[in-house]
Amino acid sequence: MRALIVTAVAAEADSVANGLTGPTPHPDPVTPEPRALPGGYLLSRRDLPGLAADVLVGGVGPAAAAAATATALALADYSLVVSAGIGGGFAPAAPVGSLVVADAVVAADLGAETPDGFLDVRQLGFGHSVHLPPAELAARAAEATGALLAPVLTVSTVTGTAEGAARLAARHPLAGAEAMEGFGVAEAAAAHRLPVLEIRAVSNAVGPRDRDTWRIGDALAALTAGFRALGPVLVTWGERHEHR
């Protein structure tokens, strides 16, 4: 199976790649130097038995993620697209340092404010606001990685206040995490009729912005450990599904 794994920044891509195959010095015949794609995106390759994984640095935010993913998908054939990186966790369900696997990828702030509250794009009649990963794959990924299985919200503006966190939690009471790229990745995957998976390592609690409490290093380490466990799940799922 060939999977496209989309991250926002290089540190996330390195964590994913190291989880799949361990740190690999360059140059290497199996893991080549990162190469540029049209639009300035960087792509590197990790291979293990039964799985070829292209790890993409796609940029921050849903628009950049969608553009980078669509570019990569137009240039090669894939069986699965994965959005991966760090994000904020909704306490107490997703504490700092934990993992969240999405059972729904949700565009949480794409819509309109009205006197009666927020309306998402589905309610406005302009499309859909949720993508659903394959239920079996998401469940097996969560089990293998020890992750919380819950909706992951995509936002264009990271939540930085208690009031903002409360509004999001009220609209999405089951949410486990928020990040900035998942829905963009999922939109591009859906346009190519490909399944999507999202996994987030929690670096901070959703709520008041306090950089002193963020544990980005711990979240990146959790992301590496998560992909070490996730690799065999992707191989098994690919063997069962990609030729159906």
Side-chain angles (χ1 to χ4, degrees), residues 4-94:
L4 177 67
I5 303 172
V6 186
T7 67
V9 297
E12 294 171 336
D14 287 344
S15 296
V16 168
N18 290 344
L20 289 171
T21 59
T24 305
H26 294 300
D28 182 276
V30 176
T31 308
E33 291 279 3
R35 62 185 178 88
L37 296 177
Y41 312 111
L42 290 178
L43 188 77
S44 64
R45 178 73 171 268
R46 290 294 189 273
D47 289 317
L48 59 156
L51 175 65
D54 291 337
V55 185
L56 175 66
V57 180
V60 175
T69 304
T71 299
L73 293 179
L75 297 176
D77 292 327
Y78 294 96
S79 302
L80 174 69
V81 183
V82 182
S83 178
I86 65 175
F90 285 89

Side-chain angles (χ1 to χ4, degrees), residues 101-147:
V101 168
D103 60 6
V105 181
V106 182
D109 60 3
L110 181 62
E113 295 286 354
T114 77
D116 297 321
F118 178 80
L119 295 178
D120 62 33
V121 290
R122 179 190 60 80
Q123 293 168 311
L124 292 170
F126 295 146
H128 51 267
S129 58
V130 178
H131 288 283
L132 299 178
E136 177 192 1
L137 175 60
R140 291 184 180 276
E143 180 181 12
T145 61

Side-chain angles (χ1 to χ4, degrees), residues 104-217:
V105 181
V106 182
D109 60 3
L110 181 62
E113 295 286 354
T114 77
D116 297 321
F118 178 80
L119 295 178
D120 62 33
V121 290
R122 179 190 60 80
Q123 293 168 311
L124 292 170
F126 295 146
H128 51 267
S129 58
V130 178
H131 288 283
L132 299 178
E136 177 192 1
L137 175 60
R140 291 184 180 276
E143 180 181 12
T145 61
L148 172 69
L149 183 63
V152 175
L153 310 183
T154 298
V155 295
S156 295
T157 301
V158 171
T159 304
T161 65
E163 293 79 11
R167 285 195 298 272
L168 273 184
R171 292 205 302 265
H172 306 282
L174 300 179
E178 72 165 24
M180 301 181 73
E181 292 80 32
F183 192 79
V185 172
E187 283 280 274
H192 287 261
R193 298 183 179 180
L194 290 174
V196 70
L197 183 70
E198 183 171 10
I199 181 169
R200 292 288 161 183
V202 177
S203 60
N204 58 278
V206 176
R209 184 175 174 84
D210 182 3
R211 289 295 300 269
D212 291 337
T213 65
W214 290 12
R215 287 164 42 195
I216 292 177

